[in-house]
Amino acid sequence: MLLLLLAACASAPDAPTPTETPDNLVIATDPPVVTPSPTRTNTPVPPTEEISPTFTITSTATEAVSEALILEQHLYALGFVEVGLVDGIIDDQTTLAIAHFQWLNQLPITGEISPELMRTLEQNNPVTPLVPPPFPARTLAHYLPSGIEINFLSARLDGLGYLDPGDPAFDPFDFNTLTQAAVQDFQRAHGLNPNGMVDYPTWNQIFSPLAINASGETRFLPADEWDWSTVLFPLLKDPIDLAFDGQFLWVLHSSGESAFDNQLLRIDPQAGLVNQGTPITIGKTDMPDWEMPPNSEVSAMLFDGNRLWFLIPRSDGPPQIISLIPGSAEKFLHQTFADQLEGGFPGRALGFDGNRIWATDDNRAWAINRQTGRTTHSFEVGWVTRGKMTFDGRCMWMAGQSGLATFHTGGNYPCPGDIHAYSMPSDDVAFDGQRIWSTGERWDSVYWLDIDAGVMGVPVTVGGAPSALTYDGSILWVSNRGDNTVQGIDPTTGSLGPVIPTGRQPSAILREGDNLWVINAGDLTLQRINVADYQIEIIQPTVTPTPTITLTPTLTITPTLPPLTRNLQLTSPQMTGDDVRLLQNQLIDLGYEQIGVADGIFGPLTDEGVRLFQTINDLTVDGIVGPITWGVLFSGEALGP
């Protein structure tokens, strides 16, 4: 299939190749300020899958909305993802997509729905946007290792007329002297340094819709004739994380174990859609494609002030750490760590303490030298760690198997609040200079822990299913994927600011200058929201400020929730204590009489009662009484048999 796609690229020198799936990145072109349609020199290549939308022009208001919705759906399916939200509203984003479609298909560029537009959409072979293959995160040149990216490059140079497949020296899988000469010719035509080496800028230009062919022609208008700014940037499939390096926004996508399922987008917030770079493949190694490790799934990303870092967790081989140079989009390091462990379990957390990178594997966090990539030492942190770590100046905090996990980066010293960290929800984490915050999606709340006092406070109720946090120095921002909003919190009082609507399923979030950037995972868009004038009305309570510090460390789902100092479960020898007796009494009070007598011993009958309680109350049935089961048990809303 891949070779057939590349052959299609080669057969149409000036026409963009159609996309096989709308999950790929689209280089969208902005509407020109002039109306004449650009001259076409070649017949468009039919798409690999025929899409035949059927709809008619209507006149009533209801029919007009339906027509707009169907139009947006089909434009998105064809790869015009600059449509943004498919909501049946002809807004600026939809107008851009219509103008883009009209431009590529030789229609008058009006940005409006017309019978001619509908007829062209009904054709089996409308011209669709160019979908560029990803940059391999390394410069390509003669004598350097080759991979499938050479096939991408050869097909595109052939399509632009810089390579001749009839030449006896032509080899689409080898970067040879013929390829080097073609690259040099292309570079001269575009005012680039003709060194014959394909770095990120050259790769972007080769796969740009503005590329000039070997005849000196391009059917796209000069970029200086466009005037368009956007608040929505199209993303790839499964965006999971977001970072900012001071100039570019970086969006990490991870949807499988293949290197081509794990891609990185570099987005310039000052540029329009057409001037964005191609995606970057970061999990791929320099070894031949057929010898690549089977797992290239990237689980976490961070920026250390100099380079971007990525973690590929353990699967059937040791975990890998990668660093990327933002300016050149090339790898600085890509190597394994913690490979002395045999049969270990994956860890998925990544952090930076201002000096060293920390990555988890098995039940430990490993300190990694940023210049060599070598591990120096490790600390035990517990199992199933994941996400981006948060550093409070002494300790790292992250999501763990049960609540938050924490460790002191300076040695095996206790962290303030560490014995209560497990009572925090095991979700996204942020630090405001005094408090550790984490999202509790199940309870629609954000929880906090004062690390100096070592106690938890009253949770702050926010929107539905809070999913991500970021602290900008004064406001704690939370994205609520349950009701498609973002909201600000004043961390010193717990006061809430107004909700801001977003796209569907907002996930990762960060603040950059006056803008809040949000990944809308449901819409596959990156959204920019200006929050320069965002105001939080500070509500001063009459007695004590909010959030308030409780006198005893409790998971405050309700004010009367007793503290839980350990997970309770059936073990050998059996667990005993007042906490077990408290558990048994509460279960008996709720009607779980099969437990028998509350003797303070966690035996098989107590295990049976716990599992029945978890089943009836729609909890994970594992027989373990952790913070979630404990919280529901004493919530006042627990169900009996």
Side-chain angles (χ1 to χ4, degrees):
M1 175 64 73
L2 180 58
L3 295 180
L4 291 176
L5 177 60
L6 296 175
C9 294
S11 64
D14 294 323
T17 58
T19 140
E20 289 191 359
T21 166
D23 293 335
N24 289 323
L25 174 68
V26 174
I27 294 295
T29 56
D30 300 309
V33 296
V34 294
T35 56
S37 178
T39 303
R40 300 209 21 168
T41 57
N42 294 312
T43 302
V45 180
T48 54
E49 296 183 5
E50 295 183 357
I51 301 176
S52 302
T54 56
F55 36 70
T56 57
I57 299 297
T58 56
S59 56
T60 68
T62 301
E63 290 173 334
V65 172
S66 176
E67 173 188 303
L69 184 63
I70 294 174
L71 171 66
E72 286 182 327
Q73 290 172 342
H74 283 284
L75 284 172
Y76 193 95
L78 288 171
F80 295 87
V81 297
E82 64 267 33
V83 164
L85 304 181
V86 179
D87 53 8
I89 300 174
I90 305 299
D91 53 15
D92 288 343
Q93 295 289 136
T94 307
T95 300
L96 172 61
I98 293 173
H100 188 189
F101 180 89
Q102 292 169 327
W103 191 6
L104 295 182
N105 288 273
Q106 294 184 285
L107 301 176
I109 305 170
T110 63
E112 299 174 352
I113 303 176
S114 66
E116 190 175 11
L117 171 70
M118 297 301 191
R119 285 194 297 270
T120 307
L121 274 170
E122 290 175 348
Q123 296 175 359
N124 290 332
N125 60 342
V127 181
T128 55
L130 174 68
V131 179
F135 179 66
R138 63 183 179 91
T139 293
L140 305 177
H142 193 19
Y143 300 118
L144 292 181
S146 298
I148 193 64
E149 59 270 8
I150 305 301
N151 199 183
F152 293 145
L153 177 65
S154 299
R156 179 62 171 162
L157 290 174
D158 170 24
L160 292 172
Y162 291 95
L163 275 177
D164 179 9
D167 192 307
F170 177 77
D171 184 346
F173 297 99
D174 182 36
F175 197 120
N176 54 24
T177 54
L178 189 66
T179 312
Q180 178 176 283
V183 170
Q184 289 174 317
D185 289 342
F186 178 89
Q187 290 171 326
R188 293 187 188 96
H190 292 80
L192 302 171
N193 179 20
N195 56 13
M197 303 174 68
V198 182
D199 55 10
Y200 192 49
T202 298
W203 182 277
N204 281 335
Q205 191 63 52
I206 287 175
F207 289 97
S208 168
L210 303 176
I212 301 170
N213 64 23
S215 301
E217 301 171 341
T218 177
R219 64 187 184 88
F220 291 93
L221 296 177
D224 58 9
E225 293 188 24
W226 298 332
D227 182 17
W228 179 264
S229 61
T230 181
V231 295
L232 288 171
F233 292 87
L235 301 179
L236 304 176
K237 181 181 179 182
D238 295 325
I240 64 169
D241 209 352
L242 184 62
F244 180 62
D245 67 8
Q247 180 180 2
F248 299 108
L249 289 154
W250 298 84
V251 183
L252 175 64
H253 304 72
S254 183
S255 58
E257 293 189 349
S258 165
F260 292 101
D261 290 331
N262 294 270
Q263 310 241 328
L264 187 66
L265 285 185
R266 188 178 82 172
I267 295 177
D268 183 352
Q270 305 303 319
L273 292 174
V274 76
N275 296 316
Q276 301 306 323
T278 60
I280 302 164
T281 300
I282 48 178
K284 192 175 185 300
T285 66
D286 287 342
M287 64 180 60
D289 298 299
W290 55 87
E291 295 181 7
M292 281 181 57
N295 181 32
S296 293
E297 178 188 0
V298 181
S299 65
M301 169 181 67
L302 64 81
F303 178 65
D304 68 357
N306 184 30
R307 293 193 295 273
L308 290 158
W309 291 84
F310 307 90
L311 173 64
I312 298 179
R314 173 185 299 270
S315 58
D316 51 0
Q320 304 167 51
I321 195 77
I322 299 171
S323 67
L324 190 82
I325 303 170
S328 63
E330 299 196 16
K331 292 179 185 177
F332 180 79
L333 290 170
H334 186 172
Q335 61 190 60
T336 62
F337 71 96
D339 53 2
Q340 64 268 37
L341 294 177
E342 294 184 3
F345 294 92
R348 297 172 176 269
L350 188 65
F352 177 56
D353 66 4
N355 181 29
R356 291 162 296 194
I357 297 295
W358 293 86
T360 59
D361 180 60
D362 211 55
N363 68 335
R364 306 188 71 83
W366 297 80
I368 299 174
N369 184 290
R370 289 189 291 162
Q371 298 304 315
T372 66
R374 295 192 179 96
T375 55
T376 56
H377 56 282
S378 65
F379 299 122
E380 186 173 339
V381 295
W383 306 97
V384 198
T385 50
R386 60 194 181 276
K388 195 177 299 181
M389 301 181 191
T390 292
F391 186 53
D392 68 10
R394 294 167 292 185
C395 298
M396 282 288 190
W397 300 77
M398 75 210 82
Q401 183 178 22
S402 178
L404 299 185
T406 184
F407 68 94
H408 199 297
T409 60
N412 285 313
Y413 308 111
C415 292
D418 59 351
I419 62 173
H420 308 301
Y422 73 95
S423 296
M424 296 281 285
S426 186
D427 293 318
D428 200 30
V429 186
F431 178 59
D432 69 4
Q434 180 180 346
R435 293 160 285 262
I436 290 291
W437 297 78
S438 67
T439 53
E441 290 195 44
R442 180 182 176 89
W443 301 287
D444 298 338
S445 299
V446 179
Y447 291 72
W448 63 276
L449 170 67
D450 187 301
I451 60 173
D452 289 327
V455 293
M456 293 178 59
V458 178
V460 179
T461 301
V462 291
S467 57
L469 298 169
T470 188
Y471 180 64
D472 65 8
S474 60
I475 297 176
L476 179 73
W477 295 94
V478 56
S479 62
N480 304 306
R481 69 178 180 183
D483 58 11
N484 302 325
T485 62
V486 293
Q487 193 169 16
I489 303 173
D490 178 78
T492 61
T493 65
S495 300
L496 291 170
V499 296
I500 303 174
T502 66
R504 291 189 299 119
Q505 299 177 19
S507 52
I509 183 173
L510 65 77
R511 175 78 182 264
E512 170 266 319
D514 292 338
N515 297 315
L516 197 66
W517 292 89
V518 184
I519 288 178
N520 297 317
D523 297 322
L524 299 183
T525 58
L526 177 65
Q527 182 175 0
R528 181 177 62 206
I529 304 172
N530 189 298
V531 293
D533 297 326
Y534 190 86
Q535 298 291 329
I536 298 178
E537 181 181 354
I538 306 300
I539 301 175
Q540 297 292 349
T542 57
V543 180
T544 56
T546 302
T548 58
I549 296 177
T550 58
L551 296 178
T552 57
T554 62
L555 177 63
T556 51
I557 295 176
T558 67
T560 59
L561 180 67
L564 178 67
T565 58
R566 58 176 177 166
N567 285 348
L568 304 177
Q569 63 191 86
L570 183 61
T571 60
S572 180
Q574 294 173 355
M575 302 178 72
T576 62
D578 291 339
D579 50 357
V580 176
R581 183 176 288 104
L582 182 61
L583 164 69
Q584 292 170 329
N585 281 325
Q586 184 69 2
L587 287 172
I588 292 172
D589 289 344
L590 289 171
Y592 295 87
E593 297 179 353
Q594 65 267 43
I595 289 177
V597 179
D599 56 5
I601 303 173
F602 198 117
L605 293 180
T606 303
D607 177 73
E608 179 183 343
V610 168
R611 291 178 184 272
L612 179 59
F613 173 82
Q614 290 172 328
T615 301
I616 292 175
N617 287 271
D618 195 25
L619 300 170
T620 300
V621 182
D622 55 9
I624 301 174
V625 181
I628 295 177
T629 297
W630 187 265
V632 175
L633 186 67
F634 291 94
S635 66
E637 300 178 358
L639 302 177

